Amino acid sequence: MDTTSKTKKNMDMELMKHRVQPERDSKIEVYIKKGEETLSSILSLKKENLFQNFTNLLLFRKLYPRGSENWVRKNWHPCVPEEGGHMIEIQDLFGPNIGTQKRPQLVLIEGAPGTGKSTLARHVRRAWKKSHLYRDRFQHVFFFSCRELAQCKQLSLAELIAQGQDVPTVSISQILSHPEKLLFILDGIDEPAWVLGEQNPEVCLHWSQRQPVHTLLGSLLWKSILPEASFLLTARTTDIQNFLPSLVQLYQVDVLGFTEFERENYFYKYFARESDAFIAFRLVKSNPVLLTLCEVPWVCWLVCTCLKKQMEQGGVLSLTSQTTTALCLKYLSLTIPGQPLRIQLRALCSLAAKGILQRRTLFSESDLCNQGLAEDAIATFLEIGVLQKQPSSLSYSFAHLCLQEFFAAMSYVLEDSEERHDDMEDYRIVGKLVKRYGRQYLFEAPIVHFLFGLFSKEGLKEMEKFFSCSLPGKRKSILLREVIWRSEPHQPHCLGLLHCLYESQEMYLLREVMHDFQGKIIVPGPNDIGPTVVQTNVKYLVIQTDMELMVVTFCIQFCCHVRSLQLNMEKQQGYALMAPRTVLCKRTPIADTSWKIFFFNLKYYRHLEELDLSGNPLSYSAVHSLYEALKYSCYELKTLWLVDCGLTSTHCSLLASVLIVHSSLTELDLRLNDLGDDGVRVLCEELNNLVCDLRILRLDQASLSDQVIKELKTLEAKNPKLLISSTWKSHVMVPTKNMDEKEVGDNPTSFKQEQQQSGDKPMEPLGTEDDFWGPTGPVATEVVDRERNMYKVQLPMAGSYHCPSTGLHFVVTRAVTIEIEFCAWSQYLDKTPWQHSHMVAGPLFDIKAEQGAVTAVYLPHFVSLQDGNVDTSLFHVAHFQEHGMVLESPAKVEQHYAVLESPSFSPVGVLLRLIPAVGQFIPITSITLIYYHLYFKDVTFHLYLVPNDCTIRKAIDEEEMKFQFVRINKPPPVDALYVGSRYIVSGTKKLEIIPKELELCYRSPGESQLFSEICAGHMVSGIKLQIRDKRHMKLIWEALLKPGDIRHVLPMVSPAPKDAPSMLHFVDQHREQLVARVTSVDPLLDRLHNLVLSEDSYEAVRAETTNQDKMRKLFSFSRSWSQACKDQFYQALKETHPHLVKDLLEKSLES
């Protein structure tokens, strides 16, 4: 059926009807004995490695400690999200942070409800006791459940420590003698109704002094007492700012839940019999949505419990729930037998609601009785696992806080059945929730998620069936709209709203909210597109888990504004493109199960035109899911990017099928995939026999055979509208590892040492700073166009190559020729709006290289990172392309380099985003350049203080050479200096210095640079030059200039100014010596070919038999050369015969 002819109502029904359903084997008959295992037996950890499997969770550590202003989790971003981090193991919780290299004292384990934070905290304590974790760092580890700790009114430090120990082993004085060896674990620090902000009580002077518990904890956390101690806290993400409003130096670790492997492992640990675990997990695995829900450990327990109850009751296993709310309702129907107990459940729901509003999770027996719960009902709830009794007290709690929140949500829904309920009560309910969670976090609260699920048509139906009552649904839309209205103006971008809509599964609500949400916020209108890449055209959504990916892609299908969608891993952030698009950034790789859901939801993106999956590894199963999605899609996708997706020839039959079933596709990008000859032939065969709209097919052709390339050309000729290209126009940057996995050196010495260690003989010549140093030694840089500052280097083999002069470093996979042009930022940056928000941080190069040959490029920058005062997340690499400037986040930033992995090339350089509070005072590495001019016996110096930028240095060199000034090499300033600061130039003898004050600033190489002119007169002895900081008069640089420096420094030849008197050129002055002493003529000719010599002249010189005859022939052509041609000849001589040129220059000076 043609979906475009369906009405909107039928389309919405189709959306819900075709949710991912279990496969046919999801109903499995099993018969199993009752009561073989309960949750308590699981938590008893009878098997030695059981706890390890419960706590092998995905942990994401943020790079930098955060202040409270950054604790609000941002979802939608106007640009590539800059918050960095990395996955860690549990043993790395107190390891040095990559960003600061400091070992944290205060670690917060945060995450969504039910992700295993408390289990992880308990495991740290148990593993420490078994000497598996942190034994070398901590002598004593104390564990506290904050829900129990809050029951105490006052405690002394000694009493607190006693509570945190199983059995006291040493005295309190011995424990406190080494506070740096203490670890306090505070589990659920967000649960009690306390605020642990910076306190101003009397400082606890003795460990026996009692004080309120929240004051004691505040004093510990704020280092008023035991400042050397370490702390491990657990809390929900949404509650951090409420209980720790201004705590700094808090290192955050996000718990992201189970991997797919750990979900299966959990099943085998939960069920006593392996056969039961196999049957249960096979059922869950057949339902991709259910398997994704099991990413949350608490939900995984819920699913196992439901399946175990079904096994105990006998009959057929069936679990088709698509939401957490539906799972909880299924759990109730399986675990709470009989109507009398269900009546008692109402009282339990009221108790749960009161506890949530009062931030209480522990209840006394009198609390339960006062709520109307009978003793036998309490015993039953304990037996079935809904309630649990705390071993250390006489109090009760729900089996999990999420379960309490579910019962609390049911309490609000059940009020619908009471006659006294009116509309005003709805507003009071929302007001209570806003007061409890705050407007900003309302959508993040699980109780609100459950409310949306319970107020759905299916939720109300199940509750009416369970409680045998009537629940009028007339007010559900009023309450839900009230919740949305209360929160959306304050946080319209939050993932929490999408979670609420997902739990609801109500089409009318999804369509209404997502249409407005997306239209207002996510995608700007066409008037927002400017001549440069404006980041607001692209909205980035950070996705941490498979569950979030499922929720987001489900909800977005109800938007009518998403035309371009990009999905890539967060570390592969890529470019901010000009076209409006939605970019989903995921921190972890995407499993096949999630791909199946993603592509299934994608079928109903009615207006999608572009899809970019570059950088995501795609298995055969994932590509098959893509094929199925496009086969039955209700939209016409035009562009599909699959760059570097790990595709091989085995995927090509599916890709060919995609072209068959989706004929509207006009562009397909398959570069950086190893398709091979066989795979490309499969595509060619289909394209030969297919009538489709494909206009652009991008393939890497370097590895293809001549025969296959010929077939591609034949296909192109047959279809004039089809362009088959390997031209790089990157949509996403995909980092790869350094091929040699070695640290990059800063000078040629490291390469020489490697050769010596491997037994290689040293190579001749030794090379210069302008050469690229690699595995075989120096590789000479050749001049392509001196006026345009264009050069090329032919790297002979795979390896790492570094040029000390430019600071450029390339890691290549094969022999490759790289062209490099020195550019000026002013030529590009002045045309963009970024010049005021970003600072130039390094030289700008226009680099050209064969695509795929360079796996990494190290771009030099001059920002100083030594003192750790600059946030490396502020670094960006700017690319200047036809449509404007594109900013990319580098794979990593080092002291002198910003690293791009798997780079694409264009004019490219490093920028630093400016923070208004910091202004222009950025620490940089700088250089001093000193030039002299000798007129008879009087010496004049020019002194420059500039950023360490090779393009600036080269521009100054060329400018000074025009007036016959010669550079003297002296060491640069040692300490970092600051852009915008002013410095005083002085000397040790009477010198005329104009001006005496220099400002350290960045000026593009094409602009005039600031310098001081120093007139020294006749130098009979040395002079000392100094530069001091104007503000503090601190000496930052000094150099001794001796008469010998003037005598022996070699002048640099450059074209003379037009108005300068004619002078005999070096090549004319030394013609006779050059004819006699040039021994390698062919390399010299190669450098002059097509620059000075035509093809005929080149061949005529080579035809001579001896070197002398070749040189005479070469000089015969020089009569018609211009000054510029002779300059190029001189430069070629310097590159091929540096020792000869040096000798001739020295002799000319002596004479």
Side-chain angles (χ1 to χ4, degrees), residues 813-855:
T813 58
R814 57 181 180 269
V816 62
T817 298
I818 299 176
E819 292 186 5
I820 304 163
E821 180 180 355
F822 288 27
C823 301
W825 281 98
S826 57
Q827 181 183 351
Y828 298 89
L829 196 61
D830 292 350
K831 302 175 183 178
T832 73
W834 302 94
Q835 55 181 320
H836 303 299
S837 61
H838 287 71
M839 182 191 90
V840 171
L844 182 67
F845 302 102
D846 189 359
I847 301 172
K848 295 181 176 64
E850 180 185 354
Q851 181 55 44
V854 180
T855 62

Side-chain angles (χ1 to χ4, degrees), residues 593-605:
T593 300
S594 291
W595 280 124
K596 188 171 185 178
I597 297 172
F598 173 80
F599 289 125
F600 186 90
N601 290 332
L602 206 67
K603 287 196 292 187
Y604 303 103
Y605 283 39

Side-chain angles (χ1 to χ4, degrees), residues 104 297 324 378 388 427 509 526 564 589 723 739 744 849 974 989 1005 1101:
T324 306
I378 296 173
Q388 60 185 8
Y427 296 100
L509 192 62
S564 182
L723 171 65
M739 60 171 294
V744 178
V974 175
K989 61 178 287 187
V1101 175

Side-chain angles (χ1 to χ4, degrees), residues 76-114:
W76 290 100
H77 298 256
C79 58
V80 178
E82 296 179 353
E83 181 185 78
H86 56 101
M87 305 305 295
I88 64 169
E89 302 290 340
I90 189 172
Q91 62 267 22
D92 301 321
L93 285 174
F94 287 92
N97 189 285
I98 288 180
T100 63
Q101 292 302 313
K102 295 179 181 178
R103 289 185 177 272
Q105 280 186 272
L106 190 57
V107 176
L108 172 67
I109 298 176
E110 59 175 323

Side-chain angles (χ1 to χ4, degrees), residues 975 977 984 986 1024-1029 1032-1039:
D975 296 329
L977 305 183
I984 303 299
S986 62
K1024 184 180 289 185
L1025 295 179
Q1026 295 181 334
I1027 300 179
R1028 295 180 181 272
D1029 172 29
H1032 304 290
M1033 293 308 294
K1034 176 185 175 183
L1035 181 66
I1036 58 105
W1037 175 87
E1038 65 178 353

